[in-house]
Amino acid sequence: MGSQGGFGQSKEFLDLIKSIGEARSKAEEDRIVLHEIETLKRRITEPDIPKRKMKEYIIRLVYVEMLGHDASFGYIHAVKMTHDDNIHLKRTGYLAVTLFLNEDHDLIILIVNTIQKDLKSDNYLVVCAALNVVCKLINEETIPAVLPQVVELLGHQKEAVRKKAVMALHRFYQRAPSSVNHLISNFRKKLCDNDPGVMGATLCPLYDLITIDVNAYKDLVASFASILKQVAERRLPKSYDYHQMPAPFIQIKLLKILALLGSGDKKASEQMYTIIGDIMRKCDSTSNIGNAVLYECICCISSIHPNPKLLESAADAIAKFLKSDSHNLKYLGIDALGRLIKLSPEIAEQHQLAVIDCLEDPDDTLKRKTFELLYKMTKSSNVEVIVDRMIDYMININDSHYKTEIASRCVELAEQFAPSNQWFIQTMNRVFEHAGDLVNPKVAHNLMRLIAEGFGEEDDTADSQLRSSAVESYLRIVVEPKLPSTFLQVICWVLGEYGTADGKYSASYITGKLCDVAEAYSTDDTVKAYAISALMKIYSFEIAAGRKVDVLPECQSFIEELLASHSTDLQQRAYELQAILGLDANVATNIMPMDASCEDIEIDRSLSFLNSYVQQSIEKGAQPYIPEGERSGMTDVSSFRSQELHEVSSHALRFEAYELPKPVMPSRVSPIEQSSSNELVPAPEPSYHAEMHQVASSVPSVSDTGSLELKLKLDGVQRKWGRPTYSSAAPSTSNADIPKIQNGAPQLDAVSSSSSKAVSYDSRRQQVEISAEKQKLAASLFGGTSKSHKRQSSGSQKVPKTNIPAAEKSHVAKNATSDTAVLERTPQPPPDLLDLDESTVSSSAQSLDPFKQLEGLLDLNQDTSTLTTSDASASGAPDVMSLYGETTLNVQSGGVPNLLPAGRDEANLLSGLAGTPNRDGHGENTVTNPTQQLNKGPNAKESLEKDALVRQLGVTPTGQNPNLFRDLLG
Amino acid sequence: MIHFVLLISRQGKVRLTKWYSPYSQKERTKVIRELSGLILTRGPKLCNFVEWRGYKVVYKRYASLYFCMCIDEDDNELEVLEIIHHFVEILDRYFGSVCELDLIFNFHKAYYILDELLIAGEPQESSKKTVARLIAAQDALVEAAKEQASSLSTIIAQATK
């Protein structure tokens, strides 16, 4: 067998592997590897190393690198080894370079020559090896060096070479499409290759090409469909079968291609309907691979032009997935549901309880997938429940990547479907509180705008109510420690703008809070800038209202601190604030008008208000302005310099155009201030006030800084938040929290109607899982569409209404259904035990029998191996006995379908109630046991032989990991 | 597309790594650390998929060894699960009831087999028989080359005596 050749390494190397295998910590492993690196560094540079030895060094380098250490000192030796004529060494060299080098490594240039030579070799295996390297290492620069040969190899007589040549060409296309653009037709040609392997490989590049440009390949629809048909009809050689499925990997690839080609194309889609339907019928839904093909069919069906019949069979397949006990299938079911829901929204409703089960599943992956589905099916009727759940989940995870994603989804849904402004603000507060640093700053600006604009209708009282509630909630939240910066910015802005608007809170109260914020987050300049702008607004509102402003001592010290701040932005704001404090009411109203953040600001780009001033200056003999483009004889630099000079000397205006406000500079210096500072001639302090006046009066609508900033940033942002979606929601809302009259009876009725709905779709599952809470959730998620089931609801209302405690209820239900459950379960194939884990109750219970039977077998072998210290504990400490026991089980299910064993709790439940299913399971095991034993015989022996061999070599990897001997596969 | 293949033992020891997308040595270490934390702690009856940094990682445990493949978000998870199984079946056929130890001592052979199965992150051959035949041919060639080399060296040795 192949493995025997594998132990041809030196004792030294084996010892290395062994010692690493026995290392008890990562640190120890690192120490060993570093020592090995030292040894290799020394050895590899010795003169006249025999080639055989060198080959081993290279393999040891690969090993070191695999363990995450740097072996770059030996790369050059690997490169040299590729030059060797001996295929044995060359192959090692090639393997090493593909593992060591990235496509942009400098050493690649040294290999290209060898590759060129090898591509021309008479020996097709050498050509194959070279093509492997080509796929990995040839980069844009070196493509031309090998391209002609690779193209030539497309016509090689050996299919293995043709296949790899296709893959190499595909790789070139990915790297540098332009280099092979003229060769793309080759892929079409190779589709007709008479070797199925080559044809299969060609599907990869074609898939890529079709993704890029569908229309260029519409003519191939018929060919793909007919290939798929032939594959499904088992026209390919038997060797392409996989678990009794004809070439499933090729089928999947073809289905992917068809999905692309049929998308939005009725004519093309029609050519596929028959074959897809055939495949769905033929799919063996008891094997993993069968389900993989089935799933791909669903994906394809949901992508192409819809066909009612296919949609129906897709829905059936989804139902099967969701009802399965395997988490993998449930996951795919949820995913498929998400795809199909766009075409037929009503399908989700049938599966509501299954979806909720998945949502509450402890498996994080499944949960996330379910959230994705919910995200896709959110409507205004269920947005509250869904977003609420999402936020709850978001709070409890640490993975910042996913947290960001789910936060932005919450925001998106809330913006799209919010039933009320109040709810929107509350939701946003929660999102900001827990993931504020992760959400896009745009979201914060949207929120500010919403509060400023309200519903966008004329109802002012609603708007001011909204604002007051926002202010109130913020005053409550702001005392909490450690709020994210973005959220604080929103809070400061809202407090500044509307804190005193309804007269509920005094200016000193709000300003006090603002100063607290600034103090608590004194390292965050942005927050401080927002805080001081807010102070400025509140003070100017006070002045405008004619009240006397008394600045709190803490505010005073805050302002003073900022006056001396290192940040020019903060300093400027502080000075401006100081200036405003000295103004009279009239001016203050002009500078900071009340509630004007939504008003447009007119900017006089031509600066017409300066005309008279310019005129005066010209009359006094100043040079007229010549636009930069018209100036001649000056380089840009010199013009700039002279201008600067001019500016400095005369303190006149700068003649360059105003800087455009920067598009996205979240909450830095607000653009209006930048531009106003540009407008202003750098003047000594005293005249500052006067000029402020001037600016303020000449540009009357300069309102407050925040508003312009807001306006600018929202440019081009799609406005999603709005009325239409909301209003459409009204009729179908059946929120669990609000007692809703439905069918004449309040809430309870909604619950029961949803339960009856579920009864109609699957009695077994439904009854097992009746639980009031879930139904409530289901009702609120899927509630909008309960009409169709109203008829039945009256009939089955009794079940949930009778006040039996949930557990008892389900007990009864289970008893009633267990018989059918048993019936349904028996035809299932033996469970796959490849995914073993010793710790689970069910698997250990099932593996009890085989253990005992195997004891005898192993005892026979005891003298040959010290390993068989038999201790058949079913609890599953990693001892050898259990290893064999479990591997034996593998045998049983080797090539057999991979349905996972029944969920643990379900199995327990059933065994407790009915008893039969479990016994049934045991029966299956005992029946198959004799064959297991027969099968196992040679395997156990082989493993022991291996052990003996390793021992002969002086390696005893018993130690802590006897698992090493365990068969990976029965 | 498959971005990388990892074989990790239950104790978190790396048994094989193959990177189809460029990752620096530092990133690789980080990826392995992150993923082994994520995958090795998962319970037995859960999905064989985990979402990770916008990719999906499909894994399957065979005895004490975890086979992991990282794929794009829109790839078919179940198919990749079967690609893993396909790989294991081929290993099994080659080594004869393959066990972790075989892979530890013959990782380079596992690499050769993987190279026949996947190329540049795409599955290139789905026929077990074809792969087995190619590997066998390569082995035979190597054996022949070895013999030749040794006979050559004996000739040289004799000649230079």
Side-chain angles (χ1 to χ4, degrees):
Chain A
M1 274 270 147
S3 60
Q4 273 139 23
F7 294 105
Q9 288 94 5
S10 73
K11 171 90 167 57
E12 212 179 19
F13 184 32
L14 294 176
D15 279 344
L16 168 74
I17 291 179
K18 183 196 152 207
S19 61
I20 284 177
E22 285 174 355
R24 281 171 200 281
S25 65
K26 183 77 186 146
E28 195 184 339
E29 185 188 301
D30 286 348
R31 202 172 42 74
I32 297 168
V33 176
L34 287 176
H35 180 255
E36 168 72 6
I37 289 177
E38 283 313 306
T39 319
L40 284 175
K41 263 187 190 161
R42 213 173 45 241
R43 294 272 185 82
I44 213 161
T45 46
E46 282 170 10
D48 299 330
I49 307 170
K51 282 180 176 166
R52 219 179 119 74
K53 202 85 197 147
M54 194 60 177
K55 183 195 151 213
E56 192 190 294
Y57 290 152
I58 301 279
I59 290 179
R60 280 158 77 170
L61 283 174
V62 171
Y63 190 66
V64 163
E65 182 114 342
M66 194 171 84
L67 294 177
H69 293 262
D70 179 50
S72 53
F73 63 90
Y75 289 178
I76 184 69
H77 298 282
V79 170
K80 270 193 218 155
M81 186 151 276
T82 61
H83 303 333
D84 204 291
D85 286 330
N86 185 332
I87 171 108
H88 180 45
L89 300 173
K90 183 188 280 296
R91 218 158 70 109
T92 311
Y94 273 153
L95 176 69
V97 291
T98 54
L99 292 167
F100 288 155
L101 308 181
N102 264 334
E103 61 187 58
D104 49 1
H105 202 280
D106 296 336
L107 290 176
I108 288 177
I109 206 77
L110 297 177
I111 314 174
V112 173
N113 211 347
T114 319
I115 294 177
Q116 279 179 322
K117 207 178 76 205
D118 287 341
L119 287 177
K120 286 184 204 139
S121 166
D122 297 334
N123 187 333
Y124 79 99
L125 291 171
V126 175
V127 181
C128 281
L131 280 171
N132 272 346
V133 184
V134 165
C135 286
K136 168 79 182 164
L137 293 182
I138 293 298
N139 51 30
E140 201 172 343
E141 280 165 48
T142 40
I143 285 175
V146 293
L147 188 59
Q149 281 155 12
V150 171
V151 174
E152 204 175 298
L153 291 175
L154 286 174
H156 198 274
Q157 53 165 347
K158 280 283 183 185
E159 61 281 351
V161 174
R162 293 202 299 273
K163 183 176 68 195
K164 281 183 201 280
V166 168
M167 296 305 268
L169 213 53
H170 177 210
R171 194 70 182 149
F172 294 164
Y173 181 76
Q174 286 176 329
R175 290 259 161 82
S178 55
S179 64
V180 288
N181 260 341
H182 56 291
L183 298 166
I184 280 173
S185 60
N186 280 304
F187 292 132
R188 278 165 174 271
K189 270 184 231 152
K190 282 291 124 189
L191 191 60
C192 312
D193 196 284
N194 49 19
D195 181 75
V198 181
M199 185 271 291
T202 316
L203 296 176
C204 291
L206 282 173
Y207 176 76
D208 272 13
L209 290 168
I210 294 170
T211 315
I212 294 162
D213 180 15
V214 184
N215 290 326
Y217 293 89
K218 290 281 187 193
D219 56 314
L220 288 181
V221 175
S223 325
F224 285 127
S226 95
I227 295 174
L228 186 55
K229 190 159 181 283
Q230 290 173 44
V231 174
E233 285 171 356
R234 298 183 182 271
R235 300 274 190 80
L236 291 192
K238 249 316 205 181
S239 72
Y240 282 85
D241 283 10
Y242 177 82
H243 294 188
Q244 284 87 49
M245 284 280 288
F249 299 107
I250 293 178
Q251 284 192 41
I252 288 174
K253 202 85 202 172
L254 282 166
L255 283 166
K256 278 188 176 161
I257 290 175
L258 288 181
L260 288 177
L261 287 170
S263 171
D265 184 341
K266 189 157 181 250
K267 224 181 100 218
S269 301
E270 272 162 1
Q271 294 174 270
M272 314 167 185
Y273 290 153
T274 339
I275 179 62
I276 296 173
D278 281 353
I279 290 177
M280 286 200 81
R281 257 194 311 284
K282 277 183 197 162
C283 264
D284 165 23
S285 63
T286 55
S287 73
N288 246 338
I289 191 67
N291 285 320
V293 176
L294 210 54
Y295 166 74
E296 204 57 56
C297 285
I298 300 173
C299 295
C300 183
I301 289 169
S302 63
S303 157
I304 61 177
H305 186 86
N307 170 289
K309 236 170 124 191
L310 286 180
L311 283 177
E312 202 179 297
S313 52
D316 288 347
I318 290 176
K320 252 189 238 158
F321 283 165
L322 287 174
K323 277 183 231 164
S324 152
D325 287 324
S326 148
H327 271 71
N328 287 348
L329 293 186
K330 278 189 191 168
Y331 175 93
L332 290 187
I334 295 277
D335 183 86
L337 200 56
R339 288 170 190 270
L340 217 60
I341 213 165
K342 280 176 244 149
L343 298 172
S344 46
E346 70 284 351
I347 163 176
E349 200 190 322
Q350 301 164 28
H351 304 297
Q352 41 182 311
L353 283 184
V355 170
I356 285 162
D357 273 347
C358 292
L359 194 62
E360 278 164 6
D361 200 279
D363 187 348
D364 220 40
T365 310
L366 195 54
K367 215 179 226 172
R368 288 184 187 190
K369 197 83 206 169
T370 316
F371 274 122
E372 206 179 303
L373 171 70
L374 291 184
Y375 166 74
K376 283 180 193 157
M377 51 179 260
T378 307
K379 296 175 286 201
S380 29
S381 58
N382 55 16
V383 65
E384 292 175 65
V385 191
I386 290 179
V387 171
D388 218 46
R389 286 239 154 198
M390 280 183 164
I391 295 177
D392 283 345
Y393 179 65
M394 182 188 81
I395 293 170
N396 291 320
I397 53 173
N398 295 321
D399 172 357
S400 66
H401 186 277
Y402 190 67
K403 206 168 183 168
T404 315
E405 194 179 306
I406 199 165
S408 60
R409 281 184 173 174
C410 286
V411 170
E412 192 188 318
L413 291 178
E415 284 182 350
Q416 240 170 28
F417 300 111
S420 72
N421 278 348
Q422 199 116 17
W423 178 84
F424 179 77
I425 287 174
Q426 272 167 12
T427 308
M428 285 317 208
N429 287 351
R430 284 185 76 198
V431 173
F432 274 114
E433 222 175 305
H434 298 287
D437 290 326
L438 301 171
V439 295
N440 192 326
K442 260 188 199 162
V443 174
H445 295 289
N446 266 348
L447 179 59
M448 287 190 260
R449 192 173 72 164
L450 170 87
I451 294 173
E453 289 183 347
F455 264 131
E457 58 193 63
E458 297 310 308
D459 188 2
D460 277 346
T461 49
D463 286 359
S464 55
Q465 250 174 13
L466 167 75
R467 288 165 191 163
S468 323
S469 72
V471 168
E472 219 159 290
S473 69
Y474 289 154
L475 284 173
R476 215 169 34 239
I477 290 168
V478 84
V479 291
E480 279 173 31
K482 288 217 169 190
L483 293 171
S485 172
T486 335
F487 191 33
L488 285 166
Q489 292 162 25
V490 176
I491 292 178
C492 286
W493 187 84
V494 172
L495 288 184
E497 197 73 24
Y498 304 110
T500 53
D502 59 356
K504 206 166 156 190
Y505 300 101
S506 71
S508 62
Y509 179 71
I510 302 280
T511 50
K513 285 277 181 201
L514 286 167
C515 286
D516 289 348
V517 171
E519 203 185 322
Y521 301 89
S522 57
T523 48
D524 191 335
D525 274 3
T526 325
V527 171
K528 281 203 279 191
Y530 268 88
I532 194 153
S533 296
L535 285 179
M536 185 163 21
K537 281 181 224 166
I538 287 176
Y539 287 137
S540 59
F541 295 160
E542 287 297 293
I543 295 169
R547 283 189 287 267
K548 193 186 167 313
V549 178
D550 46 5
V551 182
L552 292 175
E554 67 239 51
C555 297
Q556 194 59 50
S557 64
F558 173 54
I559 296 167
E560 267 156 26
E561 181 207 320
L562 294 195
L563 283 173
S565 167
H566 286 297
S567 154
T568 48
D569 170 45
L570 291 179
Q571 222 181 61
Q572 168 137 13
R573 283 170 200 261
Y575 276 113
E576 281 172 7
L577 174 56
Q578 244 186 6
I580 283 178
L581 284 175
L583 298 176
D584 60 44
N586 196 18
V587 183
T589 347
N590 265 332
I591 302 175
M592 288 286 174
M594 224 9 199
D595 188 20
S597 57
C598 304
E599 247 116 271
D600 289 333
I601 296 171
E602 281 169 32
I603 296 172
D604 186 356
R605 283 181 185 274
S606 65
L607 305 182
S608 53
F609 57 90
L610 287 176
N611 282 350
S612 62
Y613 175 77
V614 172
Q615 200 58 41
Q616 264 176 21
S617 300
I618 290 174
E619 272 162 24
K620 279 183 196 153
Q623 289 287 314
Y625 175 71
I626 306 164
E628 204 170 1
E630 292 167 28
R631 270 170 266 176
S632 57
M634 282 191 211
T635 64
D636 278 3
V637 177
S638 66
S639 78
F640 175 67
R641 205 172 278 156
S642 71
Q643 201 186 328
E644 203 171 50
L645 210 81
H646 175 71
E647 201 175 277
V648 171
S649 63
S650 68
H651 276 278
L653 286 166
R654 284 169 61 189
F655 288 110
E656 62 195 315
Y658 289 160
E659 267 178 64
L660 284 172
K662 290 184 179 102
V664 183
M665 248 180 76
S667 59
R668 271 290 171 82
V669 189
S670 66
I672 183 67
E673 277 173 10
Q674 276 174 345
S675 59
S676 73
S677 67
N678 282 350
E679 279 170 62
L680 293 171
V681 181
E685 201 57 44
S687 67
Y688 186 78
H689 288 259
E691 289 192 10
M692 272 287 284
H693 282 287
Q694 197 191 338
V695 173
S697 53
S698 53
V699 189
S701 55
V702 174
S703 59
D704 63 301
T705 56
S707 67
L708 178 62
E709 186 179 307
L710 191 62
K711 279 273 166 326
L712 285 165
K713 280 181 191 150
L714 287 170
D715 268 356
V717 177
Q718 200 189 351
R719 197 171 163 221
K720 284 172 172 167
W721 211 91
R723 204 127 177 73
T725 40
Y726 168 47
S727 58
S728 71
S732 57
T733 327
S734 82
N735 184 353
D737 299 332
I738 306 161
K740 181 95 187 175
I741 306 296
Q742 195 178 6
N743 229 3
Q747 210 201 331
L748 192 60
D749 190 63
V751 171
S752 57
S753 78
S754 82
S755 84
S756 65
K757 231 183 297 165
V759 169
S760 70
Y761 99 80
D762 175 4
S763 62
R764 178 174 80 100
R765 205 174 168 77
Q766 214 296 303
Q767 287 178 7
V768 174
E769 274 145 33
I770 286 177
S771 103
E773 208 176 307
K774 269 185 199 168
Q775 284 169 10
K776 226 185 205 173
L777 183 60
S780 48
L781 283 177
F782 300 86
T785 38
S786 57
K787 275 173 244 152
S788 53
H789 298 275
K790 269 180 191 157
R791 269 177 293 113
Q792 296 156 343
S793 69
S794 56
S796 59
Q797 260 173 29
K798 284 161 260 161
V799 184
K801 256 189 183 172
T802 45
N803 265 340
I804 312 168
E808 219 180 300
K809 221 190 314 171
S810 58
H811 190 96
V812 173
K814 263 174 265 157
N815 261 338
T817 50
S818 55
D819 282 347
T820 49
V822 174
L823 280 177
E824 274 173 54
R825 293 180 60 74
T826 36
Q828 276 177 5
D832 179 12
L833 294 166
L834 284 175
D835 291 335
L836 298 154
D837 191 293
E838 302 95 327
S839 61
T840 58
V841 187
S842 58
S843 78
S844 65
Q846 278 171 337
S847 48
L848 214 64
D849 272 329
F851 273 145
K852 286 196 180 132
Q853 299 220 354
L854 262 169
E855 244 167 312
L857 173 74
L858 280 159
D859 282 339
L860 293 177
N861 289 326
Q862 202 144 30
D863 44 358
T864 51
S865 161
T866 46
L867 269 172
T868 37
T869 46
S870 56
D871 169 28
S873 68
S875 73
D879 60 308
V880 187
M881 200 48 216
S882 64
L883 303 178
Y884 282 120
E886 285 175 358
T887 37
T888 335
L889 281 170
N890 282 352
V891 176
Q892 172 201 1
S893 53
V896 192
N898 274 333
L899 257 208
L900 287 168
R904 202 190 320 172
D905 38 358
E906 191 157 339
N908 286 344
L909 283 174
L910 288 169
S911 66
L913 290 164
T916 22
N918 218 16
R919 246 176 279 140
D920 192 47
H922 271 281
E924 264 171 31
N925 274 346
T926 36
V927 170
T928 42
N929 270 338
T931 47
Q932 282 169 29
Q933 223 168 352
L934 285 176
N935 279 347
K936 190 55 208 173
N939 280 355
K941 222 173 96 201
E942 228 163 59
S943 306
L944 294 169
E945 270 169 11
K946 264 177 207 165
D947 177 55
L949 180 61
V950 176
R951 268 159 212 290
Q952 267 174 17
L953 290 161
V955 186
T956 40
T958 42
Q960 38 157 271
N961 191 9
N963 282 341
L964 297 178
F965 286 105
R966 206 155 115 183
D967 285 3
L968 294 179
L969 198 72
Chain B
M1 178 190 165
I2 295 166
H3 295 278
F4 53 79
V5 178
L6 291 183
L7 267 64
I8 318 175
S9 79
R10 228 179 92 188
Q11 292 82 20
K13 287 184 177 150
V14 178
R15 296 303 186 206
L16 198 82
T17 58
K18 179 96 186 174
W19 309 85
Y20 294 106
S21 297
Y23 288 87
S24 72
Q25 193 65 268
K26 220 172 158 185
E27 285 168 322
R28 291 178 185 185
T29 317
K30 199 165 162 248
V31 167
I32 293 171
R33 204 185 325 117
E34 244 177 74
L35 282 180
S36 41
L38 205 63
I39 290 170
L40 301 182
T41 53
R42 279 173 70 83
K45 297 279 175 264
L46 306 183
C47 290
N48 290 79
F49 328 124
V50 280
E51 285 171 17
W52 172 80
R53 292 199 208 163
Y55 297 108
K56 286 184 296 199
V57 177
V58 177
Y59 71 92
K60 188 157 183 188
R61 183 177 162 183
Y62 291 90
S64 57
L65 200 57
Y66 284 82
F67 287 68
C68 318
M69 289 189 181
C70 173
I71 52 169
D72 286 320
E73 198 142 23
D74 52 354
D75 283 331
N76 183 335
E77 295 92 345
L78 221 47
E79 181 198 7
V80 176
L81 203 57
E82 289 308 290
I83 291 177
I84 293 178
H85 192 75
H86 187 51
F87 179 43
V88 176
E89 281 183 353
I90 293 172
L91 287 174
D92 193 58
R93 187 180 281 201
Y94 180 76
F95 287 106
S97 357
V98 64
C99 66
E100 193 176 337
L101 203 68
D102 288 320
L103 298 182
I104 295 173
F105 285 107
N106 296 292
F107 59 91
H108 56 295
K109 300 213 165 176
Y111 274 126
Y112 288 134
I113 294 174
L114 191 60
D115 276 346
E116 292 308 319
L117 203 65
L118 300 176
I119 208 163
E122 302 279 358
Q124 60 159 329
E125 182 57 69
S126 59
S127 158
K128 230 178 289 180
K129 208 164 148 194
T130 313
V131 173
R133 220 171 31 219
L134 262 175
I135 296 286
Q138 282 167 6
D139 277 354
L141 190 68
V142 166
E143 284 306 315
K146 260 189 204 161
E147 267 165 35
Q148 204 184 10
S150 61
S151 66
L152 257 178
S153 61
T154 44
I155 292 167
I156 292 167
Q158 279 168 352
T160 49
K161 225 180 246 174

